[in-house]
Amino acid sequence: MNAAPGSPAPSERVLVAQFGVARMTVRQALDALVVEGLLERIPGRGTFVAQPRSVAGRITSFTEDMRRRGLLPESQTLTARREQAGTGVARALDISPGDCVIHWRRLRRADLQVMCLEDAYLNEVLLPGFLESGMPTSLYDALAARGLRPTWAEDAVSADHATQEEADHLELRPGDAVMRVARRAVCRDKVVEVSRSVFRADRFTMHVQLGAG
Amino acid sequence: MNAAPGSPAPSERVLVAQFGVARMTVRQALDALVVEGLLERIPGRGTFVAQPRSVAGRITSFTEDMRRRGLLPESQTLTARREQAGTGVARALDISPGDCVIHWRRLRRADLQVMCLEDAYLNEVLLPGFLESGMPTSLYDALAARGLRPTWAEDAVSADHATQEEADHLELRPGDAVMRVARRAVCRDKVVEVSRSVFRADRFTMHVQLGAG
DNA sequence: CAGTGGTCTAGACCACCGA
DNA sequence: CGGTGGTCTAGACCACTGT
């Protein structure tokens, strides 16, 4: 059970007594929670559970994104196999053309409605046994479990018309509006994911928060 | 003159001696610079000037965005007048319906090519005499000059087909692909800008950087 | 080894808030 | 007024780095 936003945390001096520790130590611990946005200090009043602030520019996966909207995310794997990287994918993944990559194509739904067709390319070397371990629902959860959650990502977002193939998968007519998102996700100087997603424009609006909250 | 990235900062104990202050105090001062990304600590080695990290999700205006791509941004004002806020704009600007707003419609070009049609709504109260002072090229420069540069912004990005009116301005045919961006920009709890932009999909790709560099 | 940052102690004084 | 967070002191020990 999480405490409700706005509810007071124990005062620093109370924690000092409770844990038999110096106040500077308590403050450093609280500071960490404050910079994480979990607590909020108000001078002269106390320390409180912060309003959940939408983290500026947080890197979200489709799964997290849909959940935050209160929708149920689902994935249907269309392709999951080893391939040799082409020149474009190789450059984006920072490997050599012909190197082994994992190609994972999924049709993604939210509340049973088709939302997005996604082609993800992963660096095989960083994810040994990934294909054999059973495909997870959330790629980012799987990466996190391996200590590879992206710390930085770059999206190229554009609008376009659906191709015939995309229309077939997304239950659209060719030429209908779609949003394309090309992502390059990095974890500590290692490119862990390169993906191209095609979203149904009528069902998806991307929300981007910029700057410091 | 700024110090070069990677150059060492004085050690904490040196600063203690130099300023006759406690080490905890020095550390707190340095901590502030570290969270700002100006310094980097390396245990056992020292404190160094950090590599300038690309600020995650920096709020950019059209002008800045185009310049960074090496294109020459231009704006043609189609409308610039006082209006009474409708309910939607009023809510977004955090004012009351009927309050006075500045409506600024511009056709925006990059290297002489039509790129975007933008409707910006500004809070009159925050920008006295704005319309009379001659319209700037960059709205964000003008806001910055008044100490109102946005510190936080939220974009809703979607793909769509151009309406007849949009097509006329953007030199498209109705139904061609466009990207819509609805922005709400905030400076210190004051909503300073609400805008809707329509970009030609064939000429514009939005780049978004997420996470900490 | 000497020097670095990381962490911790046990106090202290201040400005601010609410009753 | 008492309680809060904000800041500061003058030490201490640790793990780590480079030579």
Side-chain angles (χ1 to χ4, degrees), chain B residues 12-13 23-24 27 41 47:
Chain B
E12 298 179 355
R13 286 163 176 91
R23 186 151 86 101
M24 286 296 295
R27 298 202 94 245
R41 294 185 200 275
T47 304

Side-chain angles (χ1 to χ4, degrees), chain B residues 11 20 25 53 70 96 115 138 148-149 157 163 169 194-195 203:
Chain B
S11 88
T25 311
R53 63 176 173 188
S96 302
M115 185 73 90
S138 170
L148 289 174
R149 200 188 203 290
V157 184
T163 66
H169 283 108
V194 166
S195 66
R203 292 180 179 164

Side-chain angles (χ1 to χ4, degrees), chain A residues 65-176:
Chain A
D65 198 10
M66 292 305 121
R67 282 201 186 123
R68 196 176 338 134
R69 298 173 195 213
L71 305 177
L72 176 69
E74 285 178 306
S75 284
Q76 176 186 347
T77 294
L78 304 179
T79 306
R81 62 173 179 234
R82 255 174 284 269
E83 292 180 1
Q84 290 188 299
T87 53
V89 169
R91 187 163 2 101
L93 275 177
D94 202 17
I95 59 179
S96 301
D99 282 0
C100 206
V101 297
I102 297 166
H103 177 190
W104 192 9
R105 164 172 277 206
R106 288 181 288 178
L107 190 59
R108 319 205 67 166
R109 293 184 175 82
D111 276 5
L112 305 181
Q113 299 236 281
V114 173
M115 186 72 93
C116 160
L117 177 65
E118 177 186 304
D119 283 283
Y121 296 87
L122 310 169
N123 187 343
E124 239 271 302
V125 177
L126 297 176
L127 296 163
F130 185 78
L131 282 173
E132 289 72 23
S133 61
M135 306 313 274
T137 302
S138 170
L139 168 59
Y140 281 24
D141 283 352
L143 291 174
R146 289 170 166 78
L148 289 174
R149 199 186 205 291
T151 53
W152 188 87
E154 184 175 35
D155 286 350
V157 184
S158 58
D160 202 356
H161 300 283
T163 66
Q164 178 69 57
E165 187 196 8
E166 290 162 354
D168 289 344
H169 283 107
L170 294 173
E171 301 170 8
L172 293 172
R173 283 166 306 187
D176 280 353

